[in-house]
Amino acid sequence: MTEFGKQLSIAETPIPGLLIAELPVHGDSRGWFKENWQREKMIAAGLADFGPVQNNISFNDAAGTTRGIHAEPWDKWVSVATGRIFGAWVDLREGPTFGAVFTAEIDPSRAVFVPRGVGNAYQTLEPDTAYAYLVNDHWSPDAEYTFLNLADESVAIVWPIRLADAEISAKDLAHPRLADVERMPPRRVLVLGASGQLGRALRLALGDAGHIEYASRADLGLSWSDLGPARRWRDYETNVNAAAYTAVDLAETPAGRADAWAANVTGVAALARIAAEHRITLVHVSSDYVFVGSNVRPYGGDEGFAPLGLFRQTKAAGDAVVATVPRHYIVRTSWVIGDGNNFVRTMASLAARGIDPKVVDDQVGRLTFTDDIARGILHLVERKAPYGTYNLTGAGDMMSWAEVARQVFALTGSDPDRVQAVSAADYLA
C-alpha cells in the first residue's frame, strides 16, 4: 500500500553514492499524484544534479519477475509507477566497498539513485508492476557493463520470492559469481600537455592507474580542427588542460598570433563544449598574465581581466570560455618552474656558458613549482571543492626576474653582478 503524505528526503546507504529518496505522494478517492523528478527540490534535498537524458519504463506482468544484477556506466534514478518491487544493489566498482550490498522495498512513495558501476536488480512483488528510470547517458551497444549472478553466495541476497520460483532470463542466470566479476573502473581522467613541465609533474602525482590517460601535443593537440571524435568522451570524468601556446614574444608575429589563438582559445573552447556536453570536470591551467601585472597586492579569484599583448589576451579569452562550463576549475599560476625548459634552467645555462644576460627588473612575482601546482589540482578535484577560479602560486616574498636570475647565478657559483637589470620597455626595444 502506497504511503501518502511523506516529506521529501534523501538518505545515504552503506554503498557510497547509492541514495534512497522518500517521495511525497498525494492521494484521494481518484488515485494519487507525485512529482517523480523535480530537479530544484531534489537537488536541495541532497541529490546530485546528475543530468538525465533518457527515460525508460519496465513493465512486468507477474509477481516474481526478477531482473539483474546489472551495473551500467551511467547514473540512474529509479522509481515505481505502479505496484511494488524489491530492490537489491551490489557495489561492483573498483575500490574498498566492492561487494557491499543494500536491499529495500520500493513503491511509488520511494525512489533510489543508483550511481555508475553499482549493480542493480529488481524483483516484482505484485502483478502489473511498472518502474521507470532516468539515466544520464544515452544507451549505447558499445558501453561497458558488468554483471553479477543473482544467486551469488558471497553477497547472499535474501529474495522475497525464491529464485527457483521467479521469472528470470537465461542471460541473467548465466552471470558470473562475485569472484569472477569484471569490476567497473572509474571514469577516465585525461591530462593534456603531458609532455610539458606541469604534465610531467601531474604524471608523478596521479600515477599510472588504468583509468589515467596522458596525452602529449602529438597525441591530442588543442589546435586540432575537431576534438569531438578524438575520444569516447562519455567515459571521462575529468580533463586537465595543462597544454597551451606559451611563446609570449612569438605570439605577436602573424604566424604566432594564429597559433596562439588556435591553442589558447579555439582549442580550449572545444574542450569546454565537450566538458559541458558530457558532464566532465574541466581543469584549466591559466596564468597571472590575464591581469595587467602592475599590482603589488595579491590578485583575487574574481579579479577583472586587463591583459597587455596578444598572448595575454588569448589566455584571458580561454579563461572566459572555461568559466561557462558547469564543472570547472580555473587554476591561475605564475612563473612556472619544473622538469623542462624554464627561466631558471635558462639562467643556469647562461651562467655556465659565460653569457651575461639582460633581465627585466620591473616585473615582480613568485616562482611556482609544478609539483605544488599538481598537488593543488589534485586537492581541488579529490575534495570536490566548489567549482570556480583559484589562484595558486609559490610562497615567499615577490621578486623581480632580475632578482631571480641573480640568485640562480649565485647558486651555480657565478657572480650575480653579471646579470644586468633592465626595464621591460628597454628589453623589448
Side-chain angles (χ1 to χ4, degrees):
M1 188 71 178
T2 300
E3 182 179 343
F4 297 150
K6 291 180 180 178
Q7 295 295 314
L8 174 64
S9 64
I10 308 289
E12 297 179 351
T13 72
I15 298 178
L18 182 74
L19 305 174
I20 288 288
E22 305 296 341
L23 303 179
V25 179
H26 311 284
D28 56 26
S29 59
R30 299 168 296 173
W32 55 261
F33 168 83
K34 68 172 178 174
E35 292 179 335
N36 197 49
W37 166 251
Q38 212 279 12
R39 176 178 175 274
E40 184 177 18
K41 292 178 182 178
M42 290 174 179
I43 291 173
L47 187 69
D49 190 2
F50 73 109
V53 297
Q54 184 170 325
N55 183 27
N56 304 322
I57 297 175
S58 175
F59 178 78
N60 306 271
D61 286 318
T65 301
T66 305
R67 303 175 186 268
I69 302 168
H70 310 148
E72 296 98 353
W74 43 69
D75 304 321
K76 300 172 67 173
W77 172 256
V78 183
S79 60
V80 169
T82 182
R84 290 183 302 126
I85 61 174
F86 171 81
W89 299 274
V90 183
D91 197 341
L92 300 182
R93 300 169 293 187
E94 293 179 0
T97 58
F98 175 76
V101 181
F102 178 76
T103 62
E105 186 175 311
I106 306 294
D107 64 20
S109 69
R110 177 176 281 180
V112 61
F113 177 76
V114 186
R116 175 187 183 276
V118 172
N120 53 105
Y122 306 102
Q123 185 176 78
T124 59
L125 302 178
E126 297 178 3
D128 299 331
T129 290
Y131 56 87
Y133 49 101
L134 301 175
V135 296
N136 59 2
D137 201 355
H138 298 106
W139 181 85
S140 171
D142 58 347
E144 295 182 2
Y145 301 85
T146 191
F147 308 94
L148 174 65
N149 197 288
L150 292 158
D152 181 78
E153 299 82 2
S154 55
V155 299
I157 296 168
V158 181
W159 299 98
I161 299 171
R162 294 190 316 154
L163 294 180
D165 301 325
E167 184 70 29
I168 307 173
S169 71
K171 190 173 182 179
D172 282 350
L173 287 170
H175 290 325
R177 265 33 186 200
L178 191 65
D180 299 318
V181 164
E182 293 187 16
R183 306 184 184 200
M184 179 73 73
R187 291 178 73 194
R188 302 183 68 81
V189 174
L190 172 64
V191 176
L192 294 98
S195 59
Q197 292 186 90
L198 179 56
R200 295 171 190 172
L202 285 164
R203 184 184 291 272
L204 290 175
L206 289 167
D208 293 314
H211 68 288
I212 308 293
E213 179 182 342
Y214 301 94
S216 67
R217 183 180 301 175
D219 300 322
L220 187 64
L222 289 182
S223 59
W224 287 13
S225 59
D226 187 3
L227 295 178
R231 295 292 188 277
R232 180 186 153 91
W233 294 111
R234 69 180 64 190
D235 295 333
Y236 288 77
E237 175 73 25
T238 304
N239 289 345
V240 182
N241 179 28
Y245 181 96
T246 58
V248 178
D249 296 336
L250 285 178
E252 302 297 334
T253 67
R257 181 178 300 111
D259 291 342
W261 276 96
N264 294 348
V265 185
T266 306
V268 170
L271 284 178
R273 285 193 298 271
I274 288 167
E277 180 180 354
H278 296 281
R279 306 180 317 280
I280 297 171
T281 297
L282 177 57
V283 182
H284 175 66
V285 180
S286 185
S287 167
D288 63 339
Y289 275 14
V290 301
F291 305 126
V292 68
S294 61
N295 280 1
V296 294
R297 58 171 176 78
Y299 288 104
D302 58 352
E303 191 83 27
F305 295 149
L308 302 175
L310 188 132
F311 168 77
R312 294 170 182 251
Q313 291 163 9
T314 65
K315 295 301 292 181
D319 283 15
V321 171
V322 173
T324 66
V325 176
R327 304 178 183 185
H328 76 271
Y329 297 112
I330 297 172
V331 180
R332 293 200 189 110
T333 187
S334 67
W335 298 18
V336 176
I337 303 296
D339 179 17
N341 295 326
N342 57 60
F343 180 79
V344 170
R345 286 182 183 271
T346 299
M347 291 301 108
S349 175
L350 295 177
R353 289 182 289 145
I355 300 174
D356 301 342
K358 295 181 179 180
V359 183
V360 170
D361 69 348
D362 57 356
Q363 294 178 356
V364 296
R366 295 185 179 92
L367 297 182
T368 308
F369 295 97
T370 53
D371 55 349
D372 290 332
I373 302 171
R375 284 196 296 269
I377 290 171
L378 263 64
H379 176 82
L380 293 173
V381 173
E382 292 176 352
R383 297 296 180 91
K384 299 186 183 302
Y387 297 118
T389 299
Y390 294 83
N391 294 338
L392 191 160
T393 68
D397 295 333
M398 290 191 294
M399 304 173 64
S400 70
W401 286 116
E403 289 173 309
V404 173
R406 290 189 178 111
Q407 287 205 9
V408 173
F409 267 64
L411 289 170
T412 57
S414 300
D415 182 2
D417 290 336
R418 287 171 50 195
V419 176
Q420 179 182 348
V422 298
S423 68
D426 289 340
Y427 180 83
L428 296 173

